[in-house]
Amino acid sequence: MISEFALGPWLPDVTDYRNPGLEVCTNVIPGPGGYKPAYGANTSEGDVGAAVLSAMSFQRADGTRITVCATAGDLHHIVGGTVTDSTLTLTLTKPVRFERFGSSIYASSKEGVWYLDDIEADSTFVAENWTIPHGLAMARVGDFLFMGNLIDTDTNDASYRVRWSPYNNPQGEWATSISLQSDAVDMPENLGVVMGITGGNTGLIFQRNGLSRIQYTGGPSVFAKQTVDTQRGLAAPFSLAQVGENVFYLSDDGFFVTNGTAGQSISRGRVWDWFLANASQTYLSTVQAAVDWPNRCVVWTVPGDSGAFVGLLYYNWETQWWSYVALATDCVFASGIAGLTLEQVAAIYTDLDTMTLSLDSPSFAARGKSMAAFVGGIQYQLTGSSLAAVFESGEFQPQPGKRVFVRSVTPIVTDSSDATLVTMTGRVRAGASYTSAPDVAIGPIGFAPFNFDSRFVRVGLTIPAGTTWNDAFGYQIDFDVSGDT
């Protein structure tokens, strides 16, 4: 008989036996009903010469994509592969927050504030030349620029304070002024220091152990504040990712999502125990988040024992499925496909007269959204070769209560090269030792042949690196009942 099994969600925290999903799900991205390949880095899009602490992508009026990033010693601007250093001679030890307001890009940390005045024309950051707080957290809320966890305008440390700019004027006077609508508020100290702010028409202020919602009201108070969660807050300042009205974040007891109310867990009983076992708890506060818009996923970096990021944790907000990509990065960020210059086109097509595409082709233009990363200070799109994908099911009984003889396994993977390898592991009773069949390749008629007898089985699929494939859904097992014991 033949039975079909879907791969299902990755659930490493669920009990192994009868896990309805996967125990291992590596180097793939969760999609509608299955998984898609995860890709490595492609051709360099600029080298800043040092490990990158944080980065962000912005778009000019003509569609040109620019990337701004921070290294320990400087802030950098990248467009079309050209890197421009700001030569600021910094000594940064933590990431920098970037935010656009009007035509300017602001960069903030507690060590200082810098700005690129005109995104259309300028390519270097300069230090602020007006009185402005230096904030660990920064976001645009309505027509105001907010800073939180401050070295305040009086140069005192104000870790519980949030301050906002004059109306529509971040380069104005950041003092309490009813006429300018600028002011500050101290958050409840019992909820910990301010860790992050997210923007939009309504803002969210994340403290170490709490969450508050702020909304513009005008008048003497300017903003109304409401505390919506006193149980948990933000564990890593850069682990925030905003998707519309929803904000995803890392707390002390899991990954959560909020739309302005108390956070809801998205990881407990799924991947949280796995994360605690595989991510360095020493460097938990360094976790960063980004949005992979094409794949509808929020992505979090996974720190290793040395503090470097050793992998990426993907969460699809539509299917609520997770996966893990073993890719070392400096940082990841939402980006776009940069346009190619004439010189770059000429490097690809050495004879322009025989080129099949017009120089006006959309293939050479800046377009869309994408996922980008810095690796060793070099910017890449994550559109290189496919990484080696690995799936492993939990333990199950193809025929409950019976031993079975497995003749073949057919992967349901859109892989025209049939490169997928299949592994089977099993045991005859609970508590017995496992036996395994080595990797079996797909034969000429589309299945992996086995001679495997067991009661409890696991199925593993491996798609080698560099394979061209599109979707992985599940597998079919051809088996017969072989006995009651």
Side-chain angles (χ1 to χ4, degrees), residues 116-145:
L116 186 150
D117 195 47
D118 186 353
I119 189 175
E120 304 295 335
D122 295 334
S123 57
T124 58
F125 285 83
V126 295
E128 91 282 359
N129 53 16
W130 70 99
T131 302
I132 182 173
H134 302 166
L136 170 73
M138 177 174 62
R140 178 174 180 166
V141 182
D143 293 308
F144 300 83
L145 186 63

Side-chain angles (χ1 to χ4, degrees), residues 221-233:
S221 62
V222 189
F223 281 88
K225 176 176 67 70
Q226 179 186 7
T227 301
V228 296
D229 195 339
T230 60
Q231 301 302 310
R232 61 182 55 85

Side-chain angles (χ1 to χ4, degrees), residues 355-369:
M355 187 174 70
T356 57
L357 295 174
S358 165
L359 290 174
D360 295 327
S361 170
S363 299
F364 304 135
R367 62 196 186 278
K369 294 182 177 181

Side-chain angles (χ1 to χ4, degrees), residues 27-29 36-42 292 295 312 314 325-329 371 373 380-389 465-471:
N27 292 339
V28 294
I29 297 173
K36 296 180 177 295
Y39 298 99
N42 64 356
D292 183 346
N295 288 309
L312 305 172
Y314 275 73
V325 175
L327 182 67
T329 62
M371 189 76 175
Y380 299 96
Q381 295 288 322
L382 298 184
T383 54
S385 299
S386 65
L387 302 175
T467 302
T468 300
W469 63 282
N470 296 317
D471 296 283

Side-chain angles (χ1 to χ4, degrees), residues 237-252:
F238 284 78
S239 69
L240 291 169
Q242 187 166 2
V243 179
E245 296 299 319
N246 291 322
V247 177
F248 299 84
Y249 60 101
L250 172 62
S251 191
D252 286 312

